[in-house]
Amino acid sequence: MTASACEYIPGLANVPAAQSSISYVDGKKGILEYRGFQIEDLAAKSTFLETTYLLIWGQLPSKQQLADFENEVRYHRRIKYRIRDMMKCFPETGHPMDALQTSAAALGLFYARRALNDPQYIREAVVRLIAKIPTMVAAFMQMRKGNDPIQPNDDLDYATNFLYMLTERIPEPLAARIFDVCLMLHAEHTINASTFSAMVTASTMTDPYAVIASAVGTLAGPLHGGANEEVIFMLQDIGSVENVRPYVENLIANKSKIMGFGHRVYKVKDPRATILQGLAERLFEQTGRDEYYDIAVELERVVEEKLGSKGIYANVDFYSGLVYRKLGIPTDLFTPIFAIARVAGWLAHWREQIGENRIFRPTQIYTGGHNHPYIPMRER
Ligand SMILES: CC(C)(COP(=O)(O)OP(=O)(O)OC[C@H]1O[C@@H](n2cnc3c(N)ncnc32)[C@H](O)[C@@H]1OP(=O)(O)O)[C@@H](O)C(=O)NCCC(=O)NCCS
């Protein structure tokens, strides 16, 4: 449906806000493609950095192009000591998403040149953001524990290095690979609230750090990026496999939502959830099952039995929370990790937007009054 001049569509639901060749979703068939490549193929064969290149520049890189991109990202992982000093002043009780939004915006102070028509500038901005966002997330995590941040390790690949900066341990290759796939699965998903926010900010031709800071702020809300945290709280609340069925029945009777299930677009199982389910099984097989996993398996079975006929299945957040928790990642970092991944999609939309820009300027339907007489203060 398209909006006519005077039709108001709350939330702009289903209103096309752009023409885009970045990603494609078919919610009825359960298809997700990045630049025409199926997510299943990318998850099986690609890496997060290769997928990032594909999303932003529109084609798979050659061996040399990928090596160059990886090296540039590796070289730019460190953050300036003044940004670290600024972060040290953040309250340790603050949410990591607020810390990330502030730090991302601060990059604009340090890299102030703006040359949106220069491909080299675009490349540098992309590399800096992809490289530094994980370092900033991990640095805040260390600093709030009272530690100095752990410096990026040039010998480690993107995913391994992030988990190392976070936990001080070099993860097992399977854990790092699964984390890398999680990043790929979250890298892009057409136009949602945070991507739209990035596009609106980009359309003013401001700098890319402001674009990403806007998007991070939008992702931070519980209606957008926070569902995988809620899944963990729900599994905690359920407490045991035996409690799954009565818990689900109670939620359904009260018309409450079961976290990690259902999707605005997918009416079959989210293809990302299917991929993650397989990865979670491998991870738990290797590192040992725990009660959370057993509760989750039973929960999916019961919800499918009760709500599958309504098109409600597990979504990507159901499994990503489980995987992150198993990797030892604190719950309040789940949304910042979503941001680390989605920065790839946001940058792709930034580039697409400024390539053929028109500033966003929707209209409104005014519902207020007119021509009120001004009443002097003493008479009010
Ligand atoms: C994602 C979500 C907002 C999509 O919602 P939506 O497409 O607008 O669907 P609606 O909220 O209109 O729900 C349609 C029906 O399915 C039910 N439903 C949708 N998701 C449900 C869930 N997770 N648990 C129980 N019932 C659910 C609704 O109650 C409604 O039932 P009704 O027709 O009998 O009233 C919704 O599924 C949800 O809140 N899920 C839980 C949070 C979550 O996991 N979010 C992450 C999404 S990636």
Side-chain angles (χ1 to χ4, degrees):
M1 197 202 310
T2 52
S4 67
C6 57
E7 191 182 0
Y8 166 53
I9 299 188
L12 297 180
N14 294 329
V15 177
Q19 299 194 76
S20 177
S21 62
I22 298 169
S23 63
Y24 170 80
V25 173
D26 182 330
K28 290 199 186 95
K29 294 192 185 137
I31 293 173
L32 169 61
E33 289 175 340
Y34 294 167
R35 299 284 188 185
F37 292 88
Q38 299 232 332
I39 193 67
E40 290 80 3
D41 274 348
L42 294 170
K45 296 168 194 158
S46 186
T47 63
F48 174 66
L49 285 186
E50 187 186 42
T51 298
T52 298
Y53 188 104
L54 169 70
L55 285 167
I56 295 174
W57 285 288
Q59 54 209 1
L60 285 171
S62 67
K63 201 172 173 186
Q64 189 57 50
Q65 285 169 325
L66 180 59
D68 290 347
F69 183 55
E70 286 172 345
N71 284 337
E72 284 170 56
V73 168
R74 201 177 290 254
Y75 179 75
H76 283 280
R77 279 173 184 165
R78 278 168 187 70
I79 50 175
K80 290 192 183 288
Y81 80 87
R82 288 206 277 178
I83 292 188
R84 287 207 303 275
D85 283 358
M86 177 192 78
M87 294 178 78
K88 277 182 189 153
C89 301
F90 294 171
E92 60 272 17
T93 49
H95 197 283
M97 281 300 271
D98 294 328
L100 179 59
Q101 187 186 22
T102 311
S103 317
L107 289 175
L109 291 164
F110 292 91
Y111 307 103
R113 185 173 91 92
R114 188 167 54 206
L116 300 181
N117 291 325
D118 176 358
Q120 190 51 35
Y121 170 83
I122 302 231
R123 169 93 174 197
E124 279 168 18
V126 164
V127 165
R128 276 197 196 108
L129 280 157
I130 296 289
K132 292 182 197 301
I133 295 254
T135 311
M136 295 192 296
V137 171
F140 181 66
M141 159 79 185
Q142 291 298 343
M143 286 183 204
R144 72 178 178 175
K145 291 196 290 188
N147 300 338
D148 270 329
I150 295 169
Q151 288 297 318
N153 182 333
D154 287 349
D155 296 332
L156 303 179
D157 65 42
Y158 192 80
T160 310
N161 174 62
F162 174 69
L163 293 173
Y164 161 73
M165 290 189 298
L166 209 57
T167 61
E168 268 188 284
R169 279 183 296 110
I170 296 180
E172 291 294 321
L174 177 67
R177 171 64 191 164
I178 287 178
F179 185 74
D180 200 57
V181 176
C182 287
L183 294 181
M184 262 188 271
L185 298 179
H186 286 85
E188 162 65 8
H189 208 243
T190 71
I191 299 183
N192 43 51
S194 60
T195 301
F196 187 46
S197 175
M199 289 162 57
V200 172
T201 307
S203 79
T204 69
M205 299 304 255
T206 185
D207 69 74
Y209 309 104
V211 170
I212 297 305
S214 294
V216 171
T218 309
L219 183 68
L223 292 187
H224 193 357
N228 51 12
E229 287 187 37
E230 296 299 328
V231 169
I232 296 300
F233 298 139
M234 182 184 61
L235 296 177
Q236 244 159 18
D237 213 25
I238 294 175
S240 68
V241 173
E242 297 70 48
N243 197 28
V244 168
R245 187 170 286 274
Y247 189 93
V248 170
E249 284 170 351
N250 185 39
L251 284 181
I252 294 174
N254 290 314
K255 294 204 165 298
S256 302
K257 295 273 166 67
I258 304 155
M259 287 297 131
F261 290 86
H263 199 279
R264 176 57 57 83
V265 183
Y266 294 114
K267 297 306 164 200
V268 294
K269 190 162 170 177
D270 181 338
R272 300 167 301 172
T274 308
I275 297 168
L276 264 176
Q277 181 178 16
L279 294 175
E281 274 164 17
R282 277 176 64 199
L283 182 65
F284 280 85
E285 217 169 82
Q286 194 189 64
T287 56
R289 288 169 75 122
D290 62 17
E291 181 132 65
Y292 278 74
Y293 185 75
D294 294 338
I295 295 171
V297 170
E298 176 67 359
L299 183 63
E300 183 172 16
R301 205 179 60 76
V302 174
V303 174
E304 246 184 73
E305 175 196 310
K306 302 258 172 207
L307 298 175
S309 58
K310 284 173 90 176
I312 296 162
Y313 294 96
N315 60 45
V316 69
D317 292 310
F318 185 63
Y319 286 102
S320 59
L322 266 182
V323 167
Y324 296 155
R325 186 180 166 277
K326 191 69 181 170
L327 295 177
I329 297 172
T331 311
D332 65 357
L333 285 198
F334 292 0
T335 314
I337 287 169
F338 189 162
I340 290 174
R342 189 53 61 87
V343 78
W346 293 330
L347 287 169
H349 285 275
W350 165 61
R351 199 169 161 260
E352 191 171 68
Q353 181 66 39
I354 61 174
E356 209 162 312
N357 189 50
R358 181 145 194 227
I359 188 168
F360 278 96
R361 200 346 181 157
T363 188
Q364 62 167 15
I365 295 172
Y366 177 63
T367 60
H370 292 285
N371 228 359
H372 294 308
Y374 181 82
I375 304 162
M377 185 66 80
R378 64 181 180 282
E379 292 172 27
R380 279 178 234 161

